Amino acid sequence: MAVYLIGTLDTKGTETDFVREQLRACGVTEVVVVDAGCLGEPQILADISRETVFELAGTSLAKVRAAGDRGAAITLAAQGVAELIAQRHATGAVDGVLGLGGSAGTTIATSAMRRLPVGIPKLMVSTLASGQVRPYVGDKDILMLNAVVDIAGINRISRAVLGNAARALAGMVTLKAESEERTDDKPLIAATMFGVTTPCIEQARSVLEEAGYEVLVFHATGNGGEAMESLIAEGLIAGVLDITTTELADELVGGVLSAGPDRLTAAGRAGIPQVISVGATDMVNFGPVESIPDEFADRQFYVHNPTVTLMRTTIAENRLLGEEIARKAAVATGPVKILLPLQGVSAIDAEEQPFDDPAARAALFESIHAHGGAVDVLEIDRHINDAEFATTAATALLDILRSRKTSDPPGGPGG
């Protein structure tokens, strides 16, 4: 088994060497040390040199040093290490990755970790691990361990933290998981949920599970949507029940839970069957009330809790949302259906609820009809959280999946 240990050996050589020895003591038979440093001289010998790292980034160590730009050097090191890990993984040579560092080391090592699929152990010991880590973790299963003290020498604190990191990573790669030995895994359905669409997904999930599928539910908080898109792109998903497309509203308006411009595209590119709805598109997400930008001062808000404030989307924004959903569905290479809940798109968009706005819903629905081309759009005179709507959505996806399976040639995707 091979664990790749990534560090900037001009500043973190001693600490990297300590972790290497800890990994070996825990039964890791092959520890591959990767030097991602640049400016100073390495304190220990690496298995993968910095020269190789920068060559994989399309440059050379000499050019990087001559430029004297630390920021550019970090960016290039991240590119090189990521390419190295991706190439080694393609040959089956990566069982786990462990990185240690401050802001530079964290940027470099996690860039490589994000190139690996879910399931391969990834652990980052970082001085930034107690803060906002989404830029480093992204949509992958990266374990961030707070370094507590700077990674600058082996002392009473760093010895404990780095030792724990080595033991944790060694355990992940040496102890075979029960799931790795199973042969009865069911096909996977990806579904999107928010607190305000939970009843819909719970009902739909029961229908899909009864039909023999395993349902992965993604919380539509930006990272959840990104993670789902990533797993679809990796070919792990058989079908998508994209009920809660709220992240598109945050991307459009400027909320805090955007999943980026590529949300709602992976299934279409891969030709994966999908049923799409408009769950929670009535809202844009912000933090505490005092954090909301001044430009939205005259808008309608709902305080979900002390740390989450929701803003009602306008008629104009709903037209744009409808157009985006429809256009992305229209270019899908696989079967797709859009379901519209006429009585409301979230728990607070219903009769006598704070975000009830028939005009905004009408603008959303009309825009989807106008821009959807040949996409099958079905209007259902129910609220999104009504059991009838959820069952209809799940059944629609099952119908598509069954139709595709019976139409596939022998040995095809459905065989």
Side-chain angles (χ1 to χ4, degrees), residues 16-145:
T16 301
D17 189 50
F18 175 80
V19 174
R20 172 168 55 185
E21 294 309 311
Q22 293 291 305
L23 287 167
R24 287 172 173 168
C26 292
V28 178
T29 55
E30 184 179 2
V31 182
V32 182
V33 174
V34 181
D35 183 8
C38 173
L39 300 180
E41 294 303 317
Q43 299 169 355
I44 64 171
L45 185 65
D47 299 294
I48 307 291
S49 69
R50 56 184 59 182
E51 287 84 358
T52 298
V53 167
F54 287 110
E55 286 172 6
L56 288 168
T59 185
S60 68
L61 176 62
K63 289 180 180 178
V64 173
R65 281 182 164 173
D69 187 331
R70 185 173 185 272
I74 293 169
T75 299
L76 289 166
Q79 293 174 0
V81 174
E83 183 60 27
L84 168 72
I85 295 299
Q87 289 183 8
R88 296 294 177 91
H89 172 257
T91 66
V94 179
D95 294 294
V97 177
L98 193 156
L100 56 153
S103 61
T106 303
T107 298
I108 294 166
T110 57
S111 294
M113 294 175 189
R114 293 194 300 274
R115 293 286 293 272
L116 295 171
V118 170
I120 292 183
K122 315 165 186 71
L123 192 156
M124 183 72 222
V125 185
S126 173
T127 57
L128 304 177
S130 66
Q132 171 53 261
V133 298
R134 184 177 176 188
Y136 307 110
V137 174
D139 55 12
K140 293 302 170 66
D141 55 337
I142 297 173
L143 176 60
M144 300 288 289
L145 178 60

Side-chain angles (χ1 to χ4, degrees), residues 35 120 152 202 229 293 298 323:
D35 183 8
I120 292 183
E202 288 182 341
E229 299 282 326
D298 61 345
E323 179 177 350

Side-chain angles (χ1 to χ4, degrees), residues 167-396:
R167 286 186 288 274
L169 199 284
M172 286 188 276
V173 299
T174 60
L175 301 176
K176 191 172 183 62
E178 178 185 351
S179 61
E180 295 176 12
E181 300 174 347
R182 295 186 57 170
T183 59
D184 60 343
D185 285 336
K186 300 174 182 178
L188 295 175
I189 300 292
T192 51
M193 185 178 80
F194 224 30
V196 292
T197 60
T198 297
C200 177
I201 294 302
E202 288 182 341
Q203 171 64 20
R205 182 173 65 177
S206 68
V207 174
L208 293 167
E209 288 176 345
E210 187 175 345
Y213 289 88
E214 185 175 354
V215 181
L216 305 181
V217 178
F218 295 87
H219 201 187
T221 55
N223 179 259
E226 288 180 346
M228 183 183 74
E229 299 282 326
S230 178
L231 291 179
I232 293 169
E234 290 177 15
L236 299 177
I237 305 299
V240 181
L241 188 67
D242 207 345
I243 292 292
T244 311
T245 46
T246 183
E247 292 153 317
L248 298 174
D250 281 62
E251 173 68 13
L252 173 68
V253 182
V256 298
L257 298 185
S258 169
D262 292 332
R263 179 69 174 86
L264 198 62
T265 60
R269 286 195 301 267
I272 302 301
Q274 53 183 329
V275 169
I276 300 168
S277 192
V278 289
T281 52
D282 57 323
M283 61 188 63
V284 178
N285 294 266
F286 293 103
V289 172
E290 60 271 17
S291 72
I292 299 171
D294 293 340
E295 64 184 287
F296 300 119
D298 61 345
R299 296 286 292 270
Q300 179 185 0
F301 295 98
Y302 176 79
V303 179
H304 183 65
N305 61 48
T307 60
V308 176
T309 308
L310 310 176
M311 182 176 76
R312 198 6 166 144
T313 49
T314 65
I315 291 174
E317 288 163 355
N318 273 273
R319 289 197 186 99
L320 293 173
L321 285 169
E323 179 177 350
E324 180 174 11
I325 291 169
R327 290 192 185 282
K328 286 181 174 178
V331 298
T333 59
V336 58
K337 179 175 287 192
I338 299 176
L339 271 60
L340 305 179
L342 299 185
Q343 294 183 18
V345 303
S346 84
I348 59 173
D349 175 35
E351 189 175 359
E352 299 184 353
Q353 292 300 310
F355 279 5
D356 182 24
D357 190 339
R361 289 197 298 272
L364 175 69
F365 300 157
E366 289 167 4
S367 184
I368 288 174
H369 280 294
H371 298 284
V375 174
D376 187 8
V377 180
L378 177 63
E379 294 186 349
I380 302 174
D381 192 18
R382 291 286 186 274
H383 186 270
I384 197 165
N385 285 330
D386 287 346
E388 296 90 342
F389 179 86
T391 299
T392 300
T395 302

